[in-house]
Amino acid sequence: MSFGFFRNLTKPKPSPVEEREHVVAGRTLPLRIVESARARRLTLRIDSGGQGLRITVPPGLRRGEVEKFLHRHQDWLEQRLAKVPTRPQVRPGIKIPIRGVAHRIIHEPSKRGTVTVSRDERGPLLIVHGERIHLPRRIADFLKREAKKEIEKLVIRHTEALGKRAKAIRFKDTSSRWGSCTSDGNLSFSWRIMMAPTPVINYLVAHEVAHLKEMNHGPKFWKLCEQLCPDTDRCKDWLKRNGGALQAIVFD
């Protein structure tokens, strides 16, 4: 399975994209077929959390070849999707991580719609007020606020160390990447990263800030990344092993 956490946007022309659905083991998943001038062969990727499929193809490839490719890899898809974590729905009583620490969700409808962090004898709590129907959205909004507050400070720290400036910082909910950096200095981050441990959050920011100087994943980039974040190898491995579970959590 290819996760593609840190895809960096250069300035190429948009690739032709075909969007459709594909059925695997009784599951209907969105499928994106993307032409890439760089592609020399077909590649198949399962999005984080098993939420969709993506095939990258060389320009001009006949769609019949894509169908044959999908058919050949049907067993592989079924085996891989069987290992994808289930998609837990955010609701009272379950635990979700905040900065890597599991917090039990408590719903207290009597107060106005806010979210507070607390703890009891059983451990950390995430207390959500307001109507039950709004609980998942309120938690997502809480994570977005936390991401903005923490990541903006980390961007300042790492850009000052690098001697570069970020043009803008944006927060999104993406299923196939955790962060990106454009050639003109725009940084984007998935607010879901706030569920990861604090060192991993720092690594993600260092990774994207390093792209302000090195728009690639070559040796110079990784050396720079390790200068900004000495825990690069350990944090990169954590995100590769655990990122899919964070992407799978449903906030709808």
Side-chain angles (χ1 to χ4, degrees), residues 81-149:
L81 287 169
K83 298 178 182 178
V84 172
T86 56
R87 303 193 64 201
Q89 174 77 44
V90 170
R91 64 184 186 278
I94 75 163
K95 293 182 178 181
I96 67 167
I98 300 173
R99 295 178 175 86
V101 178
H103 286 63
R104 182 161 46 92
I105 299 173
I106 301 295
H107 181 220
E108 294 185 357
S110 58
K111 300 179 182 179
R112 294 178 68 92
T114 58
V115 177
T116 57
V117 175
S118 184
R119 70 175 346 358
D120 64 9
E121 67 280 358
R122 296 169 58 187
L125 304 174
L126 193 64
I127 302 174
V128 186
H129 305 294
E131 295 183 43
R132 167 67 179 83
I133 192 173
H134 300 309
L135 181 143
R137 178 178 58 80
R138 293 197 194 284
I139 295 176
D141 289 343
F142 169 79
L143 291 172
K144 292 173 188 177
R145 291 192 297 271
E146 291 296 298
K148 187 175 190 302
K149 180 170 61 178

Side-chain angles (χ1 to χ4, degrees), residues 220-231:
K220 289 183 179 179
F221 165 79
W222 288 113
K223 183 177 180 180
L224 184 58
C225 196
E226 288 169 3
Q227 289 173 358
L228 297 174
C229 174
D231 285 338

Side-chain angles (χ1 to χ4, degrees), residues 60-249:
L61 188 77
R62 292 181 299 174
R63 285 299 177 259
E65 295 301 317
V66 175
E67 300 302 326
K68 294 177 183 177
F69 180 77
L70 274 172
H71 179 74
R72 290 197 304 271
H73 290 81
Q74 193 76 355
D75 289 344
W76 179 86
L77 282 173
E78 292 180 6
Q79 293 169 10
R80 293 287 178 164
L81 287 169
K83 298 178 182 178
V84 172
T86 56
R87 303 193 64 201
Q89 174 77 44
V90 170
R91 64 184 186 278
I94 75 163
K95 293 182 178 181
I96 67 167
I98 300 173
R99 295 178 175 86
V101 178
H103 286 63
R104 182 161 46 92
I105 299 173
I106 301 295
H107 181 220
E108 294 185 357
S110 58
K111 300 179 182 179
R112 294 178 68 92
T114 58
V115 177
T116 57
V117 175
S118 184
R119 70 175 346 358
D120 64 9
E121 67 280 358
R122 296 169 58 187
L125 304 174
L126 193 64
I127 302 174
V128 186
H129 305 294
E131 295 183 43
R132 167 67 179 83
I133 192 173
H134 300 309
L135 181 143
R137 178 178 58 80
R138 293 197 194 284
I139 295 176
D141 289 343
F142 169 79
L143 291 172
K144 292 173 188 177
R145 291 192 297 271
E146 291 296 298
K148 187 175 190 302
K149 180 170 61 178
E150 182 154 340
I151 288 177
E152 286 183 350
K153 289 191 296 186
L154 288 170
V155 168
I156 291 172
R157 180 202 303 175
H158 290 309
T159 52
E160 287 181 349
L162 195 65
K164 292 282 188 177
R165 294 185 60 185
K167 182 178 179 181
I169 306 172
R170 300 186 176 94
F171 299 94
K172 303 178 180 180
D173 186 13
T174 53
S175 62
S176 60
R177 67 188 74 173
W178 285 101
S180 64
C181 173
T182 66
S183 57
D184 56 354
N186 291 317
L187 302 177
S188 294
F189 301 94
S190 169
W191 50 262
R192 289 175 180 260
I193 196 63
M194 293 311 299
M195 294 186 283
T198 299
V200 177
I201 300 170
N202 178 58
Y203 158 68
L204 174 63
V205 178
H207 184 117
E208 299 308 335
V209 168
H211 280 307
L212 293 172
K213 190 169 184 179
E214 294 288 339
M215 287 293 294
N216 55 69
H217 285 105
K220 289 183 179 179
F221 165 79
W222 288 113
K223 183 177 180 180
L224 184 58
C225 196
E226 288 169 3
Q227 289 173 358
L228 297 174
C229 174
D231 285 338
T232 284
D233 288 343
R234 183 168 62 91
C235 293
K236 181 172 66 170
D237 181 64
W238 188 97
L239 200 52
K240 183 176 181 180
R241 288 185 288 105
N242 300 283
L246 302 185
Q247 294 284 14
I249 297 174

